[in-house]
Amino acid sequence: MSDAPATHSFQVDLRGLVDLLSHHLYSSPRVYLRELLQNAVDAITARQALDPAAPARITVRAGDGRLTVTDSGVGLTEADVHRFLATIGRSSKRDADGGLDGDRLASARTDFIGQFGIGLLACFVVADEITVTTRSAADPKAPAVQWRGGSDGRYAIRTLPAGEVAEFGTTVALTPRADAAEWTAPDRVVALARHYGSLLRHEVTVEDDRGGSVRINETPAPWEVRHGSPQARREALAEHCRRTFDFTPLDTIDLDLPLVGLRGVAYVLPTSVHPSRQAGHRVHLKGMLLSDQAPELLPDWAFFVRCVVDADSLRPTASREALYEDETLAAIREALGARIRDWLTGLSASDPALLHRFIAVHHLAVKALARYDDELLRLLLPWLPFETTDGQVTLDEFTRTHPVVLVTQTVEEFRQVAPIAGAAGLGVVNGGYAYDRDLVHRLPEIRPGCTVTDLDPATVTAHLDAVDPGAELSAAAFLHIAREVVGEFDCDVVLRSFHPVSAPALLLDNREARHERARSELAASSDGLWADILGSLRGQAPRAQLVLNHLNPLVRRAASIGERELAVTAVEALYGQALLMTRRPLRASESALLNRAFIGLLDHAMHESPARDGAARGGPGQDAPGQDAPGQGGRAPGGPGQGGTTYGGGQEEGK
């Protein structure tokens, strides 16, 4: 007696499996039509492996609450129906002894679209019952059979009388559930058929219950159609782009990889897009749309194109709505990237005007690619625009007047120094944008005569004119107060003369100094272990500098203030204005300083104005005390001989 354990077969709950397909595998019920078209195409492919002259037609009929899909394919015998339609996961396209003889099916298998054996189940997403009527072309003597399956897992098969089905092929019929009727409406069926089957290589027609008929696919594909001239071809492809993507392309790039059976076209976007925006490439597998959102098809830097391709060797996921990431896809992605790069490098010689237009729109993409492609860097870097103290210019133009190029690390640093550096004759490039600083530092590789260095605040200060020693001495008291006020922000104060005269102050800072201040503030507000950790990170970053412009009338007037409280308020206002000119976010302490400065100035103005008004008016019949004689400088209230702050324009000019 044998002790071997009994074996049992797994039981499959078809309703649970359909629920799994509809809610987790497929993104939408609409895929049912794609699966039906796919099975029809594969059946025709199998028949043409037997008879290359066999007809290739697919007809979809929608209306009267019913949908049928009829193909002129290879069909099935009763044994095939039991074997393939009633066994989930088994595909006639994988089995070498199903329907066709092994050698011929093996040679045709690579031409099949579907491989997973679950396509017919997608129909249960929209219907509770499916009827398949089929007659085998592989065994012409076999009778036609009809298979009727339900979503409850039961099915029935009956043999049809001879002559009832005259032609070889298969018809799949279904009646949608009430909650899925919208997916089988004639207009929706036409739209879905065009969406999925516009590039199918066999004739696909959709008929409605009113006798109308619509051909939904183009044969051959738009990029394979012959035209009378290159211009006619460009116009035809541009029209295809407008229908597919709703934009007129800046240019078109042919994509042809014969080794993997890929053909298609890339359309160059006419407007800029953010690099992080996922590209909606349309990928067809043997004519059937696989995905209209396939960003993995191209390298990340090629975000300026939208592609339509038809391939034979790409591997789909089980849902057939995405590409399987494998070595083949990686090789195709690299090859397509090289093709787009070749188009880009060829523009400089073939069409410089188009290159200018392209770079004006997509310079960010070119910069991203040039970082890693030395050939493209040498070819296109002189064409790329950068933000500089001379405006938005190319580096080729910029280096003609600035052999020494200074580059900032952040946008904030550039905004701090650009007006002053430009007036001082310094050549500064904004390196704060993506890729710009790295590319500018590589400029000497293609322009050996130029030098590139990072901008340091001390460099700017060194190019500003020193003031007359006498003027600095007269402002010593004000500068002392200014250093006390801004010292709490780890900032120093210097007095210089620079243009433009309209700029009262310049705050020179760098990222390291800001990081050190942020660390110090966090350490001061923390305790325990966290404070010790922050304290151990203390650096020796240079202090920021508030550079006061002695040429500016506001600064010269502020330097003459003798009242300490007003001088403090003036310094806070100047520092706050310099902060705002950097255009960087303000810390809480800096916002408080600005508010305090404005309130202080308002308080001073409101306190002084009534006193001046009273002194000017005087009492009835009295002279106005404290009024100055003509030609003398105006004084604050207090009268002759009393202390006060001087504001007279004549004294101001004489200083």
Side-chain angles (χ1 to χ4, degrees):
M1 182 176 179
S2 174
D3 294 331
T7 60
H8 304 276
S9 297
F10 284 104
Q11 301 298 311
V12 176
D13 180 0
L14 188 58
R15 288 189 183 275
L17 185 57
V18 170
D19 181 73
L20 178 68
L21 291 175
S22 60
H23 292 97
H24 301 284
L25 183 63
Y26 296 132
S27 63
S28 166
R30 66 179 183 172
V31 299
Y32 84 93
L33 187 59
R34 182 196 66 192
E35 297 296 330
L36 290 176
L37 291 175
Q38 171 185 296
N39 286 343
V41 170
D42 288 340
I44 292 173
T45 301
R47 184 176 179 183
Q48 289 185 334
L50 287 172
D51 179 11
R57 297 186 307 274
I58 301 172
T59 303
V60 182
R61 294 182 178 88
D64 294 329
R66 194 165 181 266
L67 181 133
T68 63
V69 177
T70 302
D71 65 71
S72 58
V74 69
L76 299 172
T77 63
E78 183 174 349
D80 295 333
V81 169
H82 282 288
R83 185 175 186 183
F84 299 121
L85 296 188
T87 305
I88 297 171
R90 173 167 288 179
S91 172
S92 63
K93 306 153 198 175
R94 289 200 307 262
D95 293 7
D97 56 347
L100 299 175
D101 66 88
D103 291 338
R104 274 186 281 189
L105 182 63
S107 64
R109 187 182 302 149
T110 56
D111 294 327
F112 293 141
I113 301 174
Q115 300 288 335
F116 296 99
I118 59 175
L120 194 62
L121 285 180
C123 295
F124 287 123
V125 173
V126 297
D128 287 328
E129 184 177 272
I130 303 170
T131 301
V132 178
T133 304
T134 181
R135 182 184 175 193
S136 175
D139 186 0
K141 295 181 180 180
V145 296
Q146 186 177 80
W147 176 92
R148 189 183 301 272
S151 60
D152 58 0
R154 293 179 294 179
Y155 71 93
I157 297 178
R158 72 183 182 96
T159 302
L160 299 178
E164 184 170 333
V165 178
E167 297 183 354
F168 300 119
T170 300
T171 297
V172 180
L174 55 90
T175 301
R177 296 190 304 273
D179 62 345
E182 62 172 305
W183 298 106
T184 59
D187 291 343
R188 178 62 66 90
V189 170
V190 170
L192 291 178
R194 282 179 172 154
H195 178 71
Y196 287 115
S198 61
L199 295 183
L200 287 176
R201 300 160 191 178
H202 307 309
E203 179 184 338
V204 181
T205 303
V206 176
E207 300 177 355
D208 60 29
D209 53 355
R210 298 183 296 272
S213 178
V214 179
R215 171 75 181 268
I216 63 100
N217 57 330
E218 305 175 59
T219 52
W223 48 84
E224 294 176 348
V225 176
R226 295 184 178 275
H227 296 277
S229 66
Q231 180 62 29
R233 185 175 187 273
R234 281 194 296 270
E235 291 176 356
L237 290 177
E239 177 59 29
H240 175 254
C241 179
R242 283 189 288 270
R243 292 198 312 269
T244 306
F245 296 115
D246 197 28
F247 68 83
T248 301
L250 192 65
D251 198 13
T252 58
I253 308 169
D254 284 315
L255 304 176
D256 188 5
L257 303 177
L259 291 179
V260 293
L262 184 145
R263 290 289 309 275
V265 64
Y267 297 112
V268 182
L269 288 164
T271 57
S272 60
V273 293
H274 195 277
S276 63
R277 180 180 174 183
Q278 286 197 337
H281 305 306
R282 292 178 62 90
V283 178
H284 297 253
L285 184 60
K286 303 178 181 71
M288 180 68 71
L289 179 68
L290 181 67
S291 173
D292 58 0
Q293 297 291 328
E296 64 273 22
L297 182 68
L298 294 181
D300 291 340
W301 56 260
F303 56 82
F304 54 88
V305 298
R306 296 292 180 265
C307 295
V308 182
V309 300
D310 188 17
D312 294 334
S313 302
L314 289 172
R315 181 181 174 188
T317 59
S319 68
R320 302 193 52 76
E321 294 179 309
L323 297 173
Y324 188 84
E325 187 67 48
D326 57 9
E327 293 181 356
T328 300
L329 178 58
I332 289 175
R333 180 165 52 237
E334 183 177 351
L336 292 178
R339 177 66 191 90
I340 294 172
R341 184 190 61 191
D342 291 343
W343 166 82
L344 192 55
T345 56
L347 281 184
S348 60
S350 62
D351 197 341
L354 179 59
L355 179 60
H356 271 294
R357 290 166 54 202
F358 172 79
I359 289 179
V361 176
H362 298 296
H363 57 271
L364 190 60
V366 180
K367 290 178 180 179
L369 180 57
R371 292 176 67 201
Y372 307 106
D373 191 313
D374 292 342
E375 180 183 353
L376 193 66
L377 176 72
R378 287 190 295 271
L379 186 64
L380 296 182
L381 185 58
W383 298 72
L384 295 174
F386 289 81
E387 186 177 6
T388 74
T389 46
D390 289 355
Q392 196 83 3
V393 298
T394 66
L395 291 182
D396 193 42
E397 298 174 79
F398 193 65
T399 52
R400 293 174 190 168
T401 54
H402 301 286
V404 177
V405 178
L406 302 174
V407 57
T408 63
Q409 297 186 38
T410 65
V411 175
E412 290 80 6
E413 290 177 13
F414 179 80
R415 288 170 177 169
Q416 284 175 288
V417 304
I420 288 44
L426 295 176
V428 182
V429 177
N430 186 352
Y433 295 118
Y435 319 122
D436 282 13
R437 183 168 174 267
D438 292 341
L439 291 175
V440 174
H441 273 287
R442 297 193 63 184
L443 185 60
E445 298 177 22
I446 59 175
R447 291 288 185 273
C450 72
T451 303
V452 177
T453 58
D454 284 328
L455 178 68
D456 186 86
T459 304
V460 179
T461 307
H463 282 77
L464 303 180
D465 296 333
V467 300
D468 182 77
E472 186 157 7
L473 183 61
S474 65
F478 178 77
L479 293 177
H480 177 73
I481 294 174
R483 292 186 179 102
E484 289 181 354
V485 173
V486 301
E488 63 176 282
F489 299 102
D490 201 23
C491 182
D492 199 3
V493 180
V494 295
L495 186 64
R496 293 287 187 271
S497 296
F498 56 85
H499 290 274
V501 175
S502 59
L506 170 67
L507 183 62
L508 294 178
D509 200 357
N510 59 28
R511 185 165 48 183
E512 289 76 14
R514 290 196 295 273
H515 287 175
E516 176 58 23
R517 287 198 303 274
R519 184 208 60 78
S520 299
E521 289 180 356
L522 285 173
S525 61
S526 304
D527 54 14
L529 178 61
W530 182 236
D532 294 339
I533 292 174
L534 290 172
S536 67
L537 299 176
R538 182 180 180 87
Q540 298 297 323
R543 289 162 61 91
Q545 277 191 336
L546 177 64
V547 184
L548 301 178
N549 186 4
H550 184 62
L551 298 179
N552 181 267
L554 174 61
V555 173
R556 296 177 65 183
R557 190 157 187 169
S560 68
I561 296 175
E563 182 185 342
R564 177 179 174 82
E565 183 179 350
L566 182 57
V568 169
T569 301
V571 170
E572 290 177 338
L574 288 169
Y575 181 71
Q577 184 179 15
L579 276 173
L580 294 176
M581 288 178 63
T582 65
R583 304 182 190 179
R584 63 176 173 82
L586 299 181
R587 296 175 293 169
S589 58
E590 294 168 343
S591 296
L593 174 139
L594 272 172
N595 290 331
R596 189 167 62 245
F598 288 133
I599 292 173
L601 291 173
L602 285 172
D603 286 345
H604 182 78
M606 294 172 68
H607 177 266
E608 293 292 332
S609 293
R612 284 202 189 96
D613 292 343
R617 290 193 300 269
Q622 298 179 3
D623 294 332
Q627 285 186 325
D628 296 322
Q632 296 182 358
R635 291 183 178 273
Q642 297 185 16
T645 303
T646 303
Y647 294 98
Q651 292 186 13
E652 171 68 27
E653 293 301 324
K655 292 194 177 188

